[in-house]
């Protein structure tokens, strides 16, 4: 059976999740205390509900515990975000993902049992900064514990070299996990694979090591 989702808070972040779940043809209930926002998503979400999610009785009446995953995307009202997350976990919701406004908010969300805490504005800021600071970097995805995945476009410096020649693992502690060439992606490419100009290298490693490699590319 497909999972059923609930998104609480229909600002830019929550709204984008609802739209994407709808695009993927996944059932999603959209909840907000603002009637205008709920009306905006009435034809997009499977169900759109005006509700105060800091009221336990309201959440019970919506059958919230029957949903597989609830995303708390409440915007500026940190108190409402925390209280909603706490009630969801008390009611036995299996998976709760909560949006944090800052590090203190994130600590509280973790302490009260949120399964996943996200920082969309901070993470997007880092992705944009990484893309803008290095012309070779096409995208940047932060992982846990100071590790990331980056998409690097191969320029003339890398053209004609093999993965073995680069030996990124020995020289930088990095791994090329895939190469995208035109519309074809090669996962775990052969070490003897030649790199062509314009190839997209998908590289994983520690942030410091990635920066060293990106700096070398930028300076060559």
């Amino acid at each position: 059976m497909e999972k059923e989702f609930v998104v609480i808070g229909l600002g830019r972040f929550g709204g984008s999740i609802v739209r994407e779940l709808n695009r993927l043809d996944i059932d999603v209930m959209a909840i907000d205390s603002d009637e205008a926002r709920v009306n905006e998503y009435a034809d997009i979400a499977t169900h759109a509900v005006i509700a105060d999610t800091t009221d336990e009785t309201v959440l019970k009446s919506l059958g919230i515990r029957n949903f597989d995953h609830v995303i708390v995307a409440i915007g500026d009202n940190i108190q409402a975000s925390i209280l909603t997350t706490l009630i969801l976990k008390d009611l036995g919701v299996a998976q709760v993902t909560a949006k944090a406004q800052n590090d203190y908010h994130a600590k509280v969300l973790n302490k009260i049992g949120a399964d996943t805490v996200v920082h969309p504005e901070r993470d997007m800021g880092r992705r944009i900064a990484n893309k803008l600071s290095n012309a070779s970097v096409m995208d940047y995805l932060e992982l846990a514990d100071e590790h990331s995945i980056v998409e690097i476009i191969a320029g003339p410096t890398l053209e004609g070299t093999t993965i073995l020649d680069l030996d990124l693992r020995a020289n930088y502690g990095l791994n090329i996990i895939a190469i995208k060439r035109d519309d074809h992606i090669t996962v775990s490419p052969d070490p003897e694979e030649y790199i062509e100009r314009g190839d997209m290298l998908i590289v994983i490693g520690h942030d410091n090591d990635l920066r060293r490699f990106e700096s070398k590319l930028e300076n060559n």
Side-chain angles (χ1 to χ4, degrees):
M1 292 180 63
E2 286 190 352
K3 287 186 176 181
E4 293 183 313
F5 290 79
V6 177
V7 176
I8 298 173
L10 300 177
R12 282 182 298 176
F13 177 61
S16 67
I17 294 174
V18 172
R19 290 180 186 279
E20 183 62 13
L21 289 172
N22 171 262
R23 190 186 69 80
L24 296 170
D25 201 26
I26 295 173
D27 286 345
V28 54
M29 176 186 285
I31 303 175
D32 200 289
S33 58
D34 186 297
E35 183 177 358
R37 284 183 174 176
V38 172
N39 289 339
E40 183 181 345
Y41 288 90
D43 295 329
I44 299 169
T46 313
H47 304 286
V49 180
I50 305 166
D52 174 8
T53 56
T54 64
D55 187 329
E56 183 174 347
T57 305
V58 170
L59 287 177
K60 283 181 177 179
S61 71
L62 293 172
I64 206 80
R65 71 179 71 190
N66 299 319
F67 288 85
D68 303 291
H69 199 142
V70 179
I71 297 111
V72 181
I74 295 171
D76 296 331
N77 192 334
I78 290 178
Q79 181 176 329
S81 165
I82 292 169
L83 187 53
T84 296
T85 302
L86 182 61
I87 294 171
L88 290 170
K89 293 311 295 182
D90 279 348
L91 289 176
V93 175
Q95 287 290 318
V96 175
T97 293
K99 170 189 172 182
Q101 293 294 99
N102 51 49
D103 289 340
Y104 174 74
H105 187 195
K107 283 182 181 179
V108 175
L109 291 170
N110 280 313
K111 282 185 178 295
I112 63 176
D115 300 283
T116 305
V117 176
V118 296
H119 301 75
E121 286 85 2
R122 182 198 70 183
D123 294 345
M124 182 55 71
R126 288 182 177 177
R127 290 179 74 178
I128 291 170
N130 274 270
K131 289 177 73 172
L132 294 179
S133 64
N134 193 316
S136 299
V137 175
M138 293 301 294
D139 206 354
Y140 166 94
L141 176 62
E142 183 180 14
L143 304 175
D145 303 323
E146 299 181 328
H147 284 71
S148 302
I149 295 174
V150 296
E151 295 177 349
I152 295 173
I153 293 295
T157 305
L158 300 179
E159 185 178 18
T161 61
T162 67
I163 294 172
L164 192 60
D165 292 334
L166 286 176
D167 202 3
L168 290 187
R169 185 177 296 178
N171 293 326
Y172 296 93
L174 305 175
N175 286 289
I176 296 176
I177 58 176
I179 296 177
K180 182 178 180 183
R181 182 173 298 153
D182 299 322
D183 293 326
H184 179 71
I185 296 179
T186 302
V187 178
S188 299
D190 189 283
E192 301 291 343
E193 177 85 25
Y194 280 95
I195 297 170
E196 298 179 7
R197 188 185 298 203
D199 283 353
M200 180 182 289
L201 310 181
I202 302 172
V203 184
I204 187 170
H206 192 281
D207 292 343
N208 291 337
D209 297 325
L210 288 165
R211 279 193 286 270
R212 284 197 301 123
F213 181 52
E214 291 164 12
S215 178
K216 177 178 174 60
L217 293 178
E218 193 74 5
N219 293 327
N220 284 340

